[in-house]
Amino acid sequence: MVFVRTTPPRPVEVTAVFPELAPLARPAIRLHPRPGAPSVGDSSVGGPLLWPAEEPWPHCEGEHPDSGFRESPADVRLSRRRLARLHRDPRGPEFTPEEEAIREENAARLAKRFDAGPPLPAECPVPLLPVAQLYVRDVPLLRPPGEADLLQVLWCPYDHEPDWKPATAVFWRSAASVVDVLATPPEPYEANYPGYVPEPCLLAPEEITEYPDSLDLSPELRQTVGDWSRWRAAGVDVDGSYAEYPAEFYDGNLADAPGWKVGGWPPWGRTDPYRRYCAVCDAQMVPLLTIASFEWDGGELRGWAPYEDRDAAYAAGHRAGQNPAQPTKVEVGSTDNMQLYVCPASPEHPHTDLIQ
């Protein structure tokens, strides 16, 4: 990859304090997406896919009621570029001639669609948007089926019942088998929400070791991690304000990393642990990809910001749309995470997802 991101060492070597956690360690790969111009040959978030020209582009056949949001993905991207420009040059024009031309072109396209009247859902399947493309050479933690060496994730940028989240689709393929690449994939007319339009990002994959959230621990281990005397006996330098709830320090600083990642442990918080089972073979499914609203937050999770982003992470205040902790501009749930799960027995079995 073209750049590097490095997670700082954890403030405490957790297995030195709690050796019981050592068997629960899991590898994970933090993807560290950052805005860029990926090609079909790159691992990316929101970038172009290595999609065969002869293979139909996937569409969502579900119902898509009027969202009330009248911006296309192109409009969303234009708005972001404009905000970034004004952030760099606050005295610049409200719209440049190029921005105005794109804005008028997008408006004309949408007007033509709405003048024709809203089609029935069955007559208007929605093209999916690329979310992530991951090559095994960059993310070796992936375990694809057969000869595949490429994972592609897309979603429909509308909320879907019953959980009101984008519907996701997962494809595994062999990159070498793609001879002619689809040059211009179709795009949906609009998105349910700007946060469902990923900003094109390059990746800097980094392998780390994770430990389970305290909610994923056995009752006995959860009680152990919550025992302040164990922390004091180990002589670790932990802020005394955590004395009443030491598990909060563990969860925020030592367990699972925030942000986009492959593998690892689930980032519980919105819900209690909710086991997912394969619809085909009933095996307990494992995390495949975490789609995160933020790479870190302004509290404890800011300590997970890579060395290379520390100045930006600790800077005071950010203009709207220019938060370095949200490079992909993706936002799911209420600034939550969407985690995709896959069957460990066969990644070809249907995946599932969950907002956490």
Side-chain angles (χ1 to χ4, degrees):
M1 306 308 287
V2 297
F3 65 99
V4 172
R5 288 296 183 270
T6 313
T7 301
R10 299 297 80 215
V12 171
E13 178 51 58
V14 68
T15 55
V17 183
F18 304 106
E20 304 96 323
L21 291 175
L24 301 178
R26 279 186 187 175
I29 293 183
R30 299 188 75 186
L31 298 179
H32 298 304
R34 298 296 183 270
S39 72
V40 296
D42 292 316
S43 292
S44 66
V45 164
L49 303 185
L50 186 76
W51 196 271
E54 70 277 7
E55 184 176 327
W57 187 261
H59 287 64
C60 179
E61 302 285 347
E63 294 188 6
H64 303 95
D66 181 3
S67 66
F69 180 72
R70 295 301 187 191
E71 279 195 300
S72 67
D75 282 327
V76 171
R77 298 185 191 107
L78 174 64
S79 177
R80 289 172 181 168
R81 290 196 299 271
R82 176 173 166 270
L83 283 175
R85 175 179 60 80
L86 292 174
H87 179 68
R88 295 189 302 268
D89 180 18
R91 297 178 180 274
E94 184 177 1
F95 289 94
T96 66
E98 180 185 9
E99 290 167 353
E100 190 63 55
I102 296 173
R103 186 183 179 205
E104 291 176 359
E105 180 184 340
N106 293 341
R109 186 179 67 253
L110 283 176
K112 183 178 179 181
R113 178 240 175 147
F114 292 125
D115 286 347
L120 295 173
E123 297 173 332
C124 187
V126 174
L128 302 189
L129 274 176
V131 174
Q133 173 168 273
L134 304 177
Y135 284 88
V136 173
R137 65 168 189 259
D138 301 320
V139 189
L141 196 58
L142 293 171
R143 294 292 180 265
E147 299 298 316
D149 60 357
L150 179 60
L151 170 67
Q152 295 171 323
V153 178
L154 304 90
W155 67 19
C156 175
Y158 282 82
D159 284 321
H160 289 71
E161 296 182 358
D163 299 316
W164 301 104
K165 64 181 185 295
T168 56
V170 169
F171 296 86
W172 299 95
R173 71 174 72 253
S174 167
S177 69
V178 182
V179 179
D180 296 317
V181 179
L182 182 64
T184 310
E187 279 206 332
Y189 279 106
E190 62 182 13
N192 208 155
Y193 179 58
Y196 294 165
V197 181
E199 190 71 8
C201 288
L202 291 165
L203 309 180
E206 177 200 18
E207 187 164 350
I208 63 169
T209 298
E210 289 193 338
Y211 296 92
D213 185 284
S214 63
L215 293 174
D216 255 324
L217 299 176
S218 68
E220 295 77 18
L221 264 180
R222 196 178 310 155
Q223 184 175 6
T224 299
V225 168
D227 183 356
W228 182 240
S229 65
R230 283 285 298 267
W231 295 88
R232 287 189 301 169
V236 296
D237 184 18
V238 178
D239 188 337
S241 63
Y242 289 101
E244 192 170 353
Y245 301 105
E248 290 186 7
F249 177 84
Y250 168 79
D251 285 335
N253 296 278
L254 309 176
D256 53 285
W260 289 67
K261 65 184 180 182
V262 167
W265 282 92
W268 302 115
R270 172 65 57 177
T271 63
D272 287 338
Y274 186 69
R275 312 299 175 206
R276 314 295 278 171
Y277 295 93
C278 178
V280 175
C281 67
D282 207 34
Q284 184 171 324
M285 305 181 86
V286 296
L288 172 64
L289 173 68
T290 299
I291 299 169
S293 295
F294 288 90
E295 292 294 287
W296 60 82
D297 66 13
E300 284 184 314
L301 295 184
R302 190 163 52 183
W304 288 94
Y307 280 125
E308 297 82 359
D309 296 315
R310 300 288 278 192
D311 289 345
Y314 284 87
H318 304 288
R319 287 190 61 172
Q322 306 304 312
N323 188 343
Q326 198 176 32
T328 67
K329 302 296 190 290
V330 165
E331 195 163 318
V332 291
S334 179
T335 65
D336 294 317
N337 303 287
M338 175 185 278
Q339 192 152 46
L340 274 57
Y341 288 81
V342 69
C343 175
S346 175
E348 293 178 304
H349 288 173
H351 78 288
T352 188
D353 55 52
L354 180 67
I355 293 285
Q356 303 165 355

